[in-house]
Structure formats: C-alpha cells, structure tokens
Amino acid sequence: EIVLTQSPVTLSLSPGERATLSCRASQSVSSNFLAWYQQKPGQAPRLLIYGASSRPTGIPDRFRGSGSGTDFTLTITRVEPEDFAVYYCQRYGRSVFTFGPGTKVDIK
Amino acid sequence: EVQLVDSGGGVVRPGESLRVSCVASGFTFDDYAMSWVRQAPGKGPEWVSTLNWNGDVADYADFVKGRFTISRDNAKNSLYLQMNSLRPEDTALYYCTRVYAKAYDYWGQGSLVTVSS
C-alpha cells in the first residue's frame, strides 16, 4: 500500500507570500499520476493540478505543480486571500486512488 | 456546464442498507469513468470505488469490498452506490466524481450518510 505524507501540517502565511507544500509517496508514483486539490470549508475539493504539473482550465497560474517519482511540490507563487484553505495531494496506481492527509494554509 | 447532483443520503442503523445516486449533465457521460469519494467529518477525502465508462470494470477500496456495489445507467446519465452492511465508520459525505487523467475534475455536492444506532 502506497502512503502519501504531506508537509507541513499547517503553513501560516501573509497574503503575497510564497507557499511551498510537499507531498511524498512511500513508493514511486507511476506516470506522474499525482494531483492536488484545494478545499474550503463546506465545499467539495477543487482540482488544481493533475499529472503532477498540468492545470485544468480556469486555475490561476500562481498554482504550480512540480516533482516526480516520490517527491512532489505545490507552489503558490503569491498567496491571495482566497487561497487560505486545506490542500490535498492524491495519487493513482494499480487501480487505487490515495489521498494525502492535507496541509492547511492559514493566515499569519 | 458540467454538473453532478448527488442524492439519497440519510440516517440508517448499523447493518442496514442505503443507495446513493448521482445524475450527471453537461458532458457525454459514457465518455468517462466515474468514482465515489467519501469524506468523514473533519477528515480528508477517501476513495471508495471507480467504475469504467461502460460499467464492465469496477474497483473498490479494501474497506468496502463485498459490502458496496457501484453501478451506472448511461441511458440515464446516472451513477449509483449500493451500500450494504453499513457500519458507523461509514458515516461520511459521499461525493460523485468524474475521473480525468487519473484525478477528479468535477465533484457533486455530496450526500450525507450517517450510520448510528
């Protein structure tokens, strides 16, 4: 069973700062089937990044995904007030989807 | 506009059954695999089951194998999850999701399932 670990658990930032969120897999993620989601209270998760680095239509380019193998990063280049939320990574492999435990980005 | 509308949640006792449903619109339903993802109160999302485009291939998380059955009716643009032998730990918001590039690009609003005696 592949386990995803996210760090930090909480990231406290001011608007305009850069956010760097980490997602580490216990085994290599094949074909970079790694995605990132944003979730705000009372809402369903929203897909931000798929294929490790691709953005769906409508996702601002301040959200950037990178990494390969077992180490992946979500970067928010300049955090906007609406970006304070919980972020989850998710991988796919061998017909199984797995989510990480999440990183909360809150206001400093 | 892509929409997924979840329904069918409710309160049941341990050991009972429930079926949640999802109606899709705004895209060609049988072009996509679909999944159910759940989220317990205060917890992160958790994959439950995935069904391929024509209903031939279903995958399940270990914790629901033998208890839950995913199905779809492409003529009705609908996805279903039949849940039997429900346990208190199955209490969660159940989301219908569309699978795209091994991720979930659209989510329903969720159906709340509460299992309690």
Side-chain angles (χ1 to χ4, degrees), chain A residues 4-11 21-23 36-37 39 85-90 99-105, chain B residues 43-45:
Chain A
L4 297 180
T5 303
Q6 290 188 242
S7 61
V9 173
T10 304
L11 187 57
L21 287 66
S22 171
C23 177
W36 290 93
Y37 300 83
Q39 188 175 31
V86 180
Y87 293 82
Y88 297 99
C89 60
Q90 169 253 313
F99 286 89
T103 290
K104 183 177 182 180
V105 177
Chain B
K43 304 293 186 183

Coordinates of all heavy atoms in Angstrom, one line a residue, chain A residues 4-11 21-23 36-37 39 85-90 99-105, chain B residues 43-45:
Chain A
L4 N 0.8 8.4 1.2 CA 1.2 9.8 0.9 C 1.4 10.6 2.2 O 0.5 10.5 3.1 CB 0.2 10.5 0.0 CG 0.0 9.9 -1.3 CD1 -1.1 10.7 -2.1 CD2 1.3 9.9 -2.2
T5 N 2.5 11.3 2.3 CA 2.8 12.1 3.5 C 2.9 13.6 3.0 O 3.6 13.9 2.1 CB 4.1 11.7 4.2 OG1 4.0 10.4 4.6 CG2 4.3 12.6 5.4
Q6 N 2.1 14.5 3.7 CA 2.2 15.9 3.3 C 2.8 16.7 4.4 O 2.6 16.5 5.6 CB 0.8 16.4 3.0 CG 0.2 15.8 1.8 CD -1.2 16.5 1.4 OE1 -2.2 15.9 1.3 NE2 -1.1 17.8 1.1
S7 N 3.6 17.7 4.0 CA 4.2 18.6 5.0 C 4.3 20.0 4.4 O 4.4 20.2 3.2 CB 5.6 18.1 5.4 OG 6.5 18.1 4.2
P8 N 4.2 21.0 5.3 CA 3.9 20.9 6.7 C 2.5 20.6 7.0 O 1.7 20.6 6.0 CB 4.3 22.2 7.3 CG 4.0 23.2 6.2 CD 4.3 22.4 4.9
V9 N 2.1 20.3 8.2 CA 0.7 20.1 8.5 C -0.1 21.4 8.4 O -1.2 21.5 7.8 CB 0.5 19.5 9.9 CG1 -0.9 19.4 10.4 CG2 1.2 18.1 10.0
T10 N 0.5 22.5 8.9 CA -0.1 23.8 8.8 C 1.0 24.8 8.3 O 2.2 24.7 8.7 CB -0.6 24.3 10.2 OG1 -1.6 23.3 10.6 CG2 -1.3 25.6 10.0
L11 N 0.6 25.7 7.4 CA 1.5 26.7 6.9 C 0.8 28.0 7.1 O -0.2 28.3 6.6 CB 1.7 26.4 5.4 CG 2.8 27.2 4.7 CD1 4.1 27.1 5.3 CD2 2.8 26.8 3.2
L21 N 4.3 23.6 -0.6 CA 3.6 22.4 0.0 C 4.3 21.2 -0.6 O 4.4 21.0 -1.8 CB 2.1 22.4 -0.2 CG 1.3 23.4 0.5 CD1 1.5 24.8 0.1 CD2 -0.2 23.0 0.3
S22 N 4.6 20.2 0.3 CA 5.2 19.0 -0.1 C 4.3 17.8 0.0 O 3.5 17.7 1.0 CB 6.5 18.8 0.8 OG 7.1 17.5 0.5
C23 N 4.5 16.8 -0.9 CA 3.8 15.6 -0.9 C 4.8 14.5 -1.2 O 5.4 14.5 -2.3 CB 2.6 15.6 -1.9 SG 1.7 14.0 -2.0
W36 N -3.3 17.6 -7.2 CA -3.5 18.5 -6.0 C -4.9 19.1 -6.0 O -5.4 19.4 -7.1 CB -2.5 19.6 -6.0 CG -1.1 19.2 -5.8 CD1 -0.1 18.9 -6.7 CD2 -0.4 19.1 -4.5 NE1 1.1 18.6 -6.2 CE2 0.9 18.7 -4.8 CE3 -0.8 19.3 -3.2 CZ2 1.9 18.5 -3.8 CZ3 0.2 19.1 -2.2 CH2 1.5 18.7 -2.5
Y37 N -5.5 19.2 -4.8 CA -6.8 19.8 -4.7 C -6.8 20.8 -3.6 O -6.0 20.8 -2.6 CB -7.8 18.7 -4.2 CG -8.0 17.6 -5.2 CD1 -7.1 16.5 -5.2 CD2 -9.0 17.5 -6.2 CE1 -7.2 15.4 -6.1 CE2 -9.1 16.5 -7.1 CZ -8.2 15.5 -7.0 OH -8.3 14.4 -7.9
Q39 N -9.5 22.6 -0.8 CA -10.8 22.5 -0.2 C -11.0 23.6 0.8 O -10.2 23.8 1.7 CB -11.0 21.1 0.4 CG -12.5 20.9 0.9 CD -12.8 19.6 1.4 OE1 -11.9 18.9 2.0 NE2 -14.0 19.1 1.2
A85 N -6.9 27.7 2.8 CA -7.7 26.5 2.6 C -6.9 25.3 3.0 O -5.7 25.5 3.4 CB -8.2 26.4 1.1
V86 N -7.4 24.1 2.8 CA -6.7 22.9 3.0 C -6.4 22.3 1.6 O -7.2 22.4 0.7 CB -7.5 21.9 3.8 CG1 -6.7 20.6 4.0 CG2 -7.9 22.4 5.2
Y87 N -5.1 21.8 1.5 CA -4.7 21.3 0.2 C -4.3 19.8 0.4 O -3.6 19.4 1.3 CB -3.4 22.1 -0.3 CG -3.8 23.5 -0.7 CD1 -3.9 24.5 0.3 CD2 -4.1 23.8 -2.0 CE1 -4.3 25.8 0.0 CE2 -4.4 25.1 -2.3 CZ -4.6 26.1 -1.3 OH -4.9 27.4 -1.7
Y88 N -4.8 19.0 -0.6 CA -4.6 17.6 -0.5 C -3.9 17.1 -1.8 O -4.2 17.6 -2.9 CB -5.9 16.8 -0.5 CG -6.7 17.0 0.8 CD1 -7.8 17.9 0.8 CD2 -6.4 16.3 1.9 CE1 -8.6 18.1 1.9 CE2 -7.2 16.5 3.1 CZ -8.3 17.4 3.1 OH -9.0 17.6 4.2
C89 N -2.9 16.2 -1.7 CA -2.4 15.6 -2.8 C -3.1 14.2 -3.0 O -3.7 13.7 -2.0 CB -0.9 15.4 -2.8 SG -0.2 14.5 -1.4
Q90 N -3.1 13.7 -4.2 CA -3.7 12.4 -4.5 C -2.9 11.7 -5.6 O -2.5 12.3 -6.5 CB -5.2 12.7 -4.9 CG -5.9 11.4 -5.5 CD -6.1 11.6 -7.0 OE1 -6.5 12.6 -7.6 NE2 -5.7 10.5 -7.7
F99 N -5.3 9.5 -1.2 CA -5.2 10.9 -0.8 C -4.2 11.1 0.3 O -4.1 10.2 1.2 CB -6.5 11.5 -0.3 CG -7.5 11.8 -1.4 CD1 -8.4 10.8 -1.8 CD2 -7.6 13.0 -2.1 CE1 -9.3 11.0 -2.9 CE2 -8.5 13.2 -3.1 CZ -9.3 12.2 -3.5
G100 N -3.5 12.2 0.4 CA -2.7 12.6 1.5 C -3.5 13.1 2.6 O -4.7 13.4 2.4
P101 N -2.9 13.4 3.8 CA -3.7 13.9 4.9 C -4.0 15.4 4.9 O -4.8 15.9 5.7 CB -2.8 13.5 6.1 CG -1.4 13.5 5.5 CD -1.6 13.0 4.1
G102 N -3.3 16.1 4.0 CA -3.6 17.5 3.8 C -2.7 18.5 4.5 O -2.0 18.1 5.5
T103 N -2.6 19.7 4.0 CA -1.8 20.8 4.5 C -2.8 22.0 4.6 O -3.4 22.3 3.6 CB -0.6 21.2 3.7 OG1 0.4 20.2 3.8 CG2 0.0 22.5 4.1
K104 N -2.9 22.5 5.8 CA -3.8 23.7 6.0 C -2.9 25.0 5.8 O -1.9 25.1 6.5 CB -4.4 23.7 7.3 CG -5.4 24.9 7.5 CD -6.1 24.8 8.9 CE -7.1 25.9 9.1 NZ -7.8 25.8 10.4
V105 N -3.4 25.8 4.9 CA -2.7 27.1 4.7 C -3.6 28.2 5.4 O -4.7 28.4 4.9 CB -2.5 27.4 3.2 CG1 -1.9 28.8 3.0 CG2 -1.6 26.4 2.6
Chain B
K43 N -12.3 15.0 8.4 CA -11.2 14.2 7.8 C -11.0 14.5 6.4 O -11.7 15.3 5.8 CB -11.6 12.7 7.9 CG -11.8 12.2 9.4 CD -10.6 12.2 10.2 CE -10.9 11.6 11.6 NZ -9.7 11.7 12.5
G44 N -9.9 13.9 5.8 CA -9.7 14.2 4.4 C -10.5 13.3 3.5 O -11.2 12.3 4.0
P45 N -10.4 13.5 2.2 CA -11.2 12.6 1.2 C -10.6 11.2 1.2 O -9.4 11.0 1.5 CB -11.0 13.3 -0.1 CG -10.5 14.7 0.2 CD -9.8 14.6 1.5

